[in-house]
Amino acid sequence: MCSVVVGAAGTPAPGYRIEVRNAGTAPVDTMVRQELPNGSRATTVTGGGRTSRPAGMSAGEVTWRLRLPAKSTTTLHTALSVPGPGRSVTAPTCVYGSDGTRPFDCATATWVGAATAPAAQVTAAPAWRRPPVLLAAFTALLVVTAGVVWWAVWRRRRRTAAGSAAPGGMARGGTGAPGGGATPTGTPAGGTMHTGAPGSGMPGGAGPGQSGPGHGTPVQGGPGQGGPVPSATGGPAERGTVYPRTAVPSPASRRRRPPVWLVVGVAAAVLAGVVGTAAWSATQRVAAMDTTKQPTSGAWVGSSVTGALGQPLRETAFEFTVYRLSCGADVLPPAPGGGRPCLATVGVRNLTTEDQTWHGQLQRAYLPSGNWVAADEDATRVANLGRDVFSQPVAAGRRVLLPLVFTMRGDEPPKRLELRSGVFSAGVRVDVA
C-alpha cells in the first residue's frame, strides 16, 4: 500500500518535502499529484516532475509518474512562487494508481512565511460608545428634557392661578358721598338696594309715579340729606355698609393638569427608546447569524465552516478535506444522460465514537450562478471500482479517501463544494474556484 507525507519547508519562498512510501512487497506504478494554489506557479521541481494545468481546473498541478520499489521511500521537493504578500500557501498532494483517478493516499501542508501579516485584531469600543449605552443615554435625555418643560409650564400656570385668586380680585364696597354720608354702591348678596320718596312706602323722597335720577340710586332729599338712610325693612340704619360677595374659586385657581401634548410627547419619547432598544437587540441577533447558510430542512446542528483546498474542515461528525477537483472527459467518460463530470478527491474522517452514515444527495457542487447539483451516485460508484461508498457507514475514528463525482450541466466548473454528514448538520464549504 502506498502512502504520502507532506511537510512545509522553512524557506523564504513556499517549499515542500514530499515522501512517497511503498509498504508492499511488490513494486507499484503510481502517479503523484500536487495541487498548486491559485496565483502561484512551481519554480523548482525535483524527481522528474512536470507542471501542467489540466482542462477543467482553475489552478495548475505538479505531477510525477513513479515506479516505487517494494518497501521503499522516494523523496520529492517543490518550491512555489509567493502568490501575494502576507499569505499562507496550502498545497495538498495525493498518490494515485497508474490511471491517476483512484487515490491511494493524500496529505497536505501549509507554508507560512515569516512576513505573513498577523491577523487583524478587533478592538472593542469603549463602554460609553457602545450602542446600548448611547441608546439609553438618548432616551434618558428625552425623558429629562420633557420633564423639565412640563415642570416649567406647570409652575408658570400655578403662579398665574394664584395671582387671579388674590384679595384684590374681590368685589369692593361704596365710596363716600358729599356731606359726610356714605352712599352705598354695593348690593347685598342676592338683592338690590332701592331708595324712594316719603309717603310712598319707600325711603328716599320720590313721590308716587316719580323717580329720582335713576332707579335704585340715592337722591338728595330735604334738610335731612346726609343723614342715616333707614333700612327698607325697618331695621337699624346702615351707613356706608359694604356687602362682600362670597369668593368663588375661579377655574384658574384649581390644580392644573399637564397639557395633552406634553403627556403625548413624553410617552412618545419613552416608546421610541423602548422600540429602539428592541430593534438594536434584534439587529445584533440577526447580525450574529451565518447568512451564508443554505438550509435544506430542519434546524442546523453546529456551525458552518468555510475553507480552501487542502484544509481540513470539521463539522458535527466528520472532518472533510478536499484535495483536488478536476473536470472534463479526460477525468471520466461523459455521463449517459449528458453533462460534464467533475471528480473531487475527498478525505472523510469520523470524529465520533459511533459509526456514521452519510448520503450522496447531501453532497453538493455549486456553480457561480448559485445553482447546484448533488453527487452523482452512479458515477461515484464507477469511480470507486463498483463500490457504493454511501451504502456503508464510516466506522468510528476511521478515515476514508475516495473520489466523488458531480455531473455538471454546462461548461462552467463548480465554484464551491458543500459537504455534510447528516441532514441536520451545518456542514462545511470548500472554495474550489
Side-chain angles (χ1 to χ4, degrees):
M1 178 63 68
C2 295
S3 62
V4 62
V5 177
V6 181
T11 55
Y16 300 91
R17 175 189 173 95
I18 304 170
E19 293 184 355
V20 185
R21 300 172 183 172
N22 178 12
T25 57
V28 177
D29 292 328
T30 63
M31 175 182 286
V32 180
R33 286 178 165 173
Q34 183 181 38
E35 193 86 9
L36 298 181
N38 288 328
S40 65
R41 60 183 181 84
T43 57
T44 302
V45 178
T46 66
R50 52 180 192 150
T51 304
S52 63
R53 183 171 181 174
M57 293 184 62
S58 58
E61 67 175 4
V62 180
T63 61
W64 294 266
R65 288 194 175 273
L66 305 176
R67 183 173 178 82
L68 301 177
K71 299 188 179 298
S72 65
T73 299
T74 301
T75 303
L76 309 171
H77 296 273
T78 58
L80 311 180
S81 62
V82 181
R87 284 188 55 183
S88 58
V89 182
T90 301
T93 304
C94 292
V95 55
Y96 295 85
S98 58
D99 59 354
T101 58
R102 186 171 181 272
F104 288 148
D105 191 22
C106 292
T108 185
T110 300
W111 173 88
V112 180
T116 300
Q121 297 181 355
V122 180
T123 303
W128 65 271
R129 292 179 59 185
R130 294 175 184 171
V133 178
L134 294 178
L135 189 59
F138 177 71
T139 304
L141 180 62
L142 289 178
V143 174
V144 171
T145 302
V148 170
V149 173
W150 175 82
W151 179 83
V153 174
W154 175 80
R155 184 176 179 86
R156 182 178 178 181
R157 295 197 175 188
R158 187 177 182 183
R159 288 180 178 178
T160 303
S164 63
M170 298 173 61
R172 287 184 265 185
T175 57
T183 304
T185 59
T187 59
T192 305
M193 179 179 289
H194 300 276
T195 58
S200 63
M202 294 190 301
Q210 299 178 352
S211 61
H215 178 70
T217 305
V219 296
Q220 296 180 356
Q225 288 179 358
V229 179
S231 169
T233 59
E238 296 177 347
R239 175 179 293 180
T241 304
V242 178
Y243 296 93
R245 293 179 181 273
T246 304
V248 179
S250 63
S253 64
R254 297 174 182 174
R255 185 174 182 179
R256 294 285 181 178
R257 294 182 178 180
V260 176
W261 65 266
L262 188 59
V263 175
V264 173
V266 174
V270 174
L271 180 61
V274 173
V275 172
T277 304
W280 179 86
S281 301
T283 303
Q284 291 297 106
R285 292 182 179 181
V286 171
M289 296 180 182
D290 184 2
T291 57
T292 62
K293 291 181 179 179
Q294 300 180 6
T296 51
S297 63
W300 295 117
V301 176
S303 301
S304 179
V305 182
T306 302
L309 288 173
Q311 294 182 349
L313 304 174
R314 295 190 174 191
E315 44 107 73
T316 54
F318 287 166
E319 177 188 80
F320 292 101
T321 307
V322 179
Y323 296 99
R324 187 173 181 268
L325 177 71
S326 57
C327 301
D330 57 336
V331 177
L332 284 174
R340 187 175 62 150
C342 291
L343 188 146
T345 302
V346 182
V348 182
R349 185 188 302 275
N350 185 356
L351 303 175
T352 68
T353 57
E354 299 178 355
D355 294 352
Q356 298 289 337
T357 57
W358 62 318
H359 306 279
Q361 294 301 313
L362 299 179
Q363 323 312 317
R364 299 175 177 178
Y366 283 83
L367 293 171
S369 61
N371 296 328
W372 55 269
V373 298
D376 189 333
E377 298 188 25
D378 293 336
T380 299
R381 185 183 297 108
V382 173
N384 286 273
L385 304 179
R387 182 170 62 97
D388 187 356
V389 297
F390 300 112
S391 63
Q392 297 179 351
V394 180
R398 185 185 174 190
R399 175 179 178 267
V400 296
L401 184 67
L402 46 89
L404 296 182
V405 180
F406 301 89
T407 302
M408 312 302 298
R409 306 299 177 181
D411 297 332
E412 199 171 21
K415 179 183 178 181
R416 184 178 73 250
L417 298 185
E418 182 180 272
L419 309 173
R420 55 169 52 93
S421 58
V423 67
F424 297 115
S425 170
V428 302
R429 291 168 175 80
V430 184
D431 296 325
V432 295

PDB file of all heavy atoms in Angstrom, residues 333-351:
ATOM      1  N   PRO A 333     -15.490   9.223 -18.312  1.00  0.00           N
ATOM      2  CA  PRO A 333     -16.320   9.288 -19.513  1.00  0.00           C
ATOM      3  C   PRO A 333     -17.572  10.110 -19.253  1.00  0.00           C
ATOM      4  O   PRO A 333     -18.050  10.177 -18.110  1.00  0.00           O
ATOM      5  CB  PRO A 333     -16.649   7.832 -19.811  1.00  0.00           C
ATOM      6  CG  PRO A 333     -16.003   7.023 -18.772  1.00  0.00           C
ATOM      7  CD  PRO A 333     -15.300   7.887 -17.798  1.00  0.00           C
ATOM      8  N   PRO A 334     -18.112  10.754 -20.262  1.00  0.00           N
ATOM      9  CA  PRO A 334     -19.342  11.542 -20.068  1.00  0.00           C
ATOM     10  C   PRO A 334     -20.473  10.679 -19.535  1.00  0.00           C
ATOM     11  O   PRO A 334     -20.552   9.480 -19.789  1.00  0.00           O
ATOM     12  CB  PRO A 334     -19.647  12.059 -21.479  1.00  0.00           C
ATOM     13  CG  PRO A 334     -18.348  11.983 -22.210  1.00  0.00           C
ATOM     14  CD  PRO A 334     -17.621  10.809 -21.638  1.00  0.00           C
ATOM     15  N   ALA A 335     -21.345  11.302 -18.783  1.00  0.00           N
ATOM     16  CA  ALA A 335     -22.487  10.590 -18.213  1.00  0.00           C
ATOM     17  C   ALA A 335     -23.448  10.169 -19.320  1.00  0.00           C
ATOM     18  O   ALA A 335     -23.560  10.855 -20.341  1.00  0.00           O
ATOM     19  CB  ALA A 335     -23.205  11.481 -17.200  1.00  0.00           C
ATOM     20  N   PRO A 336     -24.148   9.057 -19.136  1.00  0.00           N
ATOM     21  CA  PRO A 336     -25.075   8.599 -20.176  1.00  0.00           C
ATOM     22  C   PRO A 336     -26.137   9.628 -20.519  1.00  0.00           C
ATOM     23  O   PRO A 336     -26.535   9.764 -21.672  1.00  0.00           O
ATOM     24  CB  PRO A 336     -25.690   7.331 -19.567  1.00  0.00           C
ATOM     25  CG  PRO A 336     -24.694   6.868 -18.563  1.00  0.00           C
ATOM     26  CD  PRO A 336     -24.052   8.096 -18.018  1.00  0.00           C
ATOM     27  N   GLY A 337     -26.613  10.383 -19.559  1.00  0.00           N
ATOM     28  CA  GLY A 337     -27.643  11.374 -19.823  1.00  0.00           C
ATOM     29  C   GLY A 337     -27.108  12.714 -20.246  1.00  0.00           C
ATOM     30  O   GLY A 337     -27.872  13.679 -20.341  1.00  0.00           O
ATOM     31  N   GLY A 338     -25.800  12.819 -20.483  1.00  0.00           N
ATOM     32  CA  GLY A 338     -25.211  14.095 -20.849  1.00  0.00           C
ATOM     33  C   GLY A 338     -24.647  14.801 -19.630  1.00  0.00           C
ATOM     34  O   GLY A 338     -24.904  14.437 -18.477  1.00  0.00           O
ATOM     35  N   GLY A 339     -23.867  15.821 -19.859  1.00  0.00           N
ATOM     36  CA  GLY A 339     -23.251  16.568 -18.767  1.00  0.00           C
ATOM     37  C   GLY A 339     -21.769  16.287 -18.674  1.00  0.00           C
ATOM     38  O   GLY A 339     -21.260  15.297 -19.218  1.00  0.00           O
ATOM     39  N   ARG A 340     -21.070  17.163 -17.982  1.00  0.00           N
ATOM     40  CA  ARG A 340     -19.629  17.031 -17.830  1.00  0.00           C
ATOM     41  C   ARG A 340     -19.300  16.582 -16.422  1.00  0.00           C
ATOM     42  O   ARG A 340     -19.690  17.238 -15.444  1.00  0.00           O
ATOM     43  CB  ARG A 340     -18.952  18.374 -18.119  1.00  0.00           C
ATOM     44  CG  ARG A 340     -17.446  18.286 -18.157  1.00  0.00           C
ATOM     45  CD  ARG A 340     -16.832  19.605 -18.572  1.00  0.00           C
ATOM     46  NE  ARG A 340     -17.140  20.662 -17.641  1.00  0.00           N
ATOM     47  CZ  ARG A 340     -16.336  21.704 -17.408  1.00  0.00           C
ATOM     48  NH1 ARG A 340     -15.206  21.815 -18.068  1.00  0.00           N
ATOM     49  NH2 ARG A 340     -16.680  22.627 -16.558  1.00  0.00           N
ATOM     50  N   PRO A 341     -18.557  15.486 -16.250  1.00  0.00           N
ATOM     51  CA  PRO A 341     -18.241  15.011 -14.898  1.00  0.00           C
ATOM     52  C   PRO A 341     -17.102  15.822 -14.289  1.00  0.00           C
ATOM     53  O   PRO A 341     -16.151  16.206 -14.956  1.00  0.00           O
ATOM     54  CB  PRO A 341     -17.840  13.552 -15.109  1.00  0.00           C
ATOM     55  CG  PRO A 341     -17.299  13.524 -16.505  1.00  0.00           C
ATOM     56  CD  PRO A 341     -18.079  14.547 -17.281  1.00  0.00           C
ATOM     57  N   CYS A 342     -17.227  16.077 -12.989  1.00  0.00           N
ATOM     58  CA  CYS A 342     -16.164  16.695 -12.191  1.00  0.00           C
ATOM     59  C   CYS A 342     -15.854  15.752 -11.041  1.00  0.00           C
ATOM     60  O   CYS A 342     -16.765  15.333 -10.300  1.00  0.00           O
ATOM     61  CB  CYS A 342     -16.587  18.054 -11.655  1.00  0.00           C
ATOM     62  SG  CYS A 342     -16.763  19.335 -12.910  1.00  0.00           S
ATOM     63  N   LEU A 343     -14.576  15.429 -10.900  1.00  0.00           N
ATOM     64  CA  LEU A 343     -14.151  14.470  -9.880  1.00  0.00           C
ATOM     65  C   LEU A 343     -13.424  15.195  -8.762  1.00  0.00           C
ATOM     66  O   LEU A 343     -12.453  15.920  -9.009  1.00  0.00           O
ATOM     67  CB  LEU A 343     -13.264  13.402 -10.502  1.00  0.00           C
ATOM     68  CG  LEU A 343     -12.898  12.211  -9.612  1.00  0.00           C
ATOM     69  CD1 LEU A 343     -12.786  10.935 -10.445  1.00  0.00           C
ATOM     70  CD2 LEU A 343     -11.574  12.458  -8.892  1.00  0.00           C
ATOM     71  N   ALA A 344     -13.901  14.999  -7.545  1.00  0.00           N
ATOM     72  CA  ALA A 344     -13.286  15.586  -6.354  1.00  0.00           C
ATOM     73  C   ALA A 344     -12.691  14.477  -5.507  1.00  0.00           C
ATOM     74  O   ALA A 344     -13.366  13.479  -5.210  1.00  0.00           O
ATOM     75  CB  ALA A 344     -14.315  16.365  -5.548  1.00  0.00           C
ATOM     76  N   THR A 345     -11.427  14.647  -5.128  1.00  0.00           N
ATOM     77  CA  THR A 345     -10.780  13.704  -4.216  1.00  0.00           C
ATOM     78  C   THR A 345     -10.977  14.217  -2.800  1.00  0.00           C
ATOM     79  O   THR A 345     -10.497  15.293  -2.442  1.00  0.00           O
ATOM     80  CB  THR A 345      -9.282  13.589  -4.529  1.00  0.00           C
ATOM     81  OG1 THR A 345      -9.122  13.173  -5.892  1.00  0.00           O
ATOM     82  CG2 THR A 345      -8.612  12.590  -3.613  1.00  0.00           C
ATOM     83  N   VAL A 346     -11.715  13.450  -1.990  1.00  0.00           N
ATOM     84  CA  VAL A 346     -12.167  13.911  -0.680  1.00  0.00           C
ATOM     85  C   VAL A 346     -11.729  12.925   0.393  1.00  0.00           C
ATOM     86  O   VAL A 346     -11.878  11.700   0.236  1.00  0.00           O
ATOM     87  CB  VAL A 346     -13.703  14.062  -0.654  1.00  0.00           C
ATOM     88  CG1 VAL A 346     -14.175  14.582   0.700  1.00  0.00           C
ATOM     89  CG2 VAL A 346     -14.159  14.996  -1.771  1.00  0.00           C
ATOM     90  N   GLY A 347     -11.196  13.464   1.470  1.00  0.00           N
ATOM     91  CA  GLY A 347     -10.902  12.667   2.662  1.00  0.00           C
ATOM     92  C   GLY A 347     -11.978  12.884   3.703  1.00  0.00           C
ATOM     93  O   GLY A 347     -12.380  14.026   3.976  1.00  0.00           O
ATOM     94  N   VAL A 348     -12.469  11.796   4.308  1.00  0.00           N
ATOM     95  CA  VAL A 348     -13.540  11.868   5.297  1.00  0.00           C
ATOM     96  C   VAL A 348     -13.080  11.128   6.552  1.00  0.00           C
ATOM     97  O   VAL A 348     -12.733   9.946   6.498  1.00  0.00           O
ATOM     98  CB  VAL A 348     -14.842  11.235   4.763  1.00  0.00           C
ATOM     99  CG1 VAL A 348     -15.960  11.366   5.788  1.00  0.00           C
ATOM    100  CG2 VAL A 348     -15.245  11.869   3.443  1.00  0.00           C
ATOM    101  N   ARG A 349     -13.078  11.833   7.686  1.00  0.00           N
ATOM    102  CA  ARG A 349     -12.695  11.214   8.962  1.00  0.00           C
ATOM    103  C   ARG A 349     -13.871  11.304   9.929  1.00  0.00           C
ATOM    104  O   ARG A 349     -14.453  12.382  10.121  1.00  0.00           O
ATOM    105  CB  ARG A 349     -11.491  11.942   9.563  1.00  0.00           C
ATOM    106  CG  ARG A 349     -10.951  11.263  10.839  1.00  0.00           C
ATOM    107  CD  ARG A 349      -9.899  12.140  11.493  1.00  0.00           C
ATOM    108  NE  ARG A 349      -8.801  12.406  10.580  1.00  0.00           N
ATOM    109  CZ  ARG A 349      -7.754  11.595  10.405  1.00  0.00           C
ATOM    110  NH1 ARG A 349      -7.694  10.451  11.080  1.00  0.00           N
ATOM    111  NH2 ARG A 349      -6.786  11.918   9.577  1.00  0.00           N
ATOM    112  N   ASN A 350     -14.217  10.158  10.534  1.00  0.00           N
ATOM    113  CA  ASN A 350     -15.294  10.110  11.519  1.00  0.00           C
ATOM    114  C   ASN A 350     -14.737  10.527  12.876  1.00  0.00           C
ATOM    115  O   ASN A 350     -13.905   9.827  13.460  1.00  0.00           O
ATOM    116  CB  ASN A 350     -15.888   8.702  11.569  1.00  0.00           C
ATOM    117  CG  ASN A 350     -17.083   8.613  12.494  1.00  0.00           C
ATOM    118  OD1 ASN A 350     -17.449   9.579  13.162  1.00  0.00           O
ATOM    119  ND2 ASN A 350     -17.707   7.438  12.545  1.00  0.00           N
ATOM    120  N   LEU A 351     -15.203  11.646  13.395  1.00  0.00           N
ATOM    121  CA  LEU A 351     -14.693  12.180  14.658  1.00  0.00           C
ATOM    122  C   LEU A 351     -15.427  11.644  15.879  1.00  0.00           C
ATOM    123  O   LEU A 351     -15.013  11.928  17.004  1.00  0.00           O
ATOM    124  CB  LEU A 351     -14.815  13.713  14.651  1.00  0.00           C
ATOM    125  CG  LEU A 351     -14.103  14.444  13.504  1.00  0.00           C
ATOM    126  CD1 LEU A 351     -14.417  15.933  13.565  1.00  0.00           C
ATOM    127  CD2 LEU A 351     -12.598  14.212  13.579  1.00  0.00           C
TER     128      LEU A 351
END
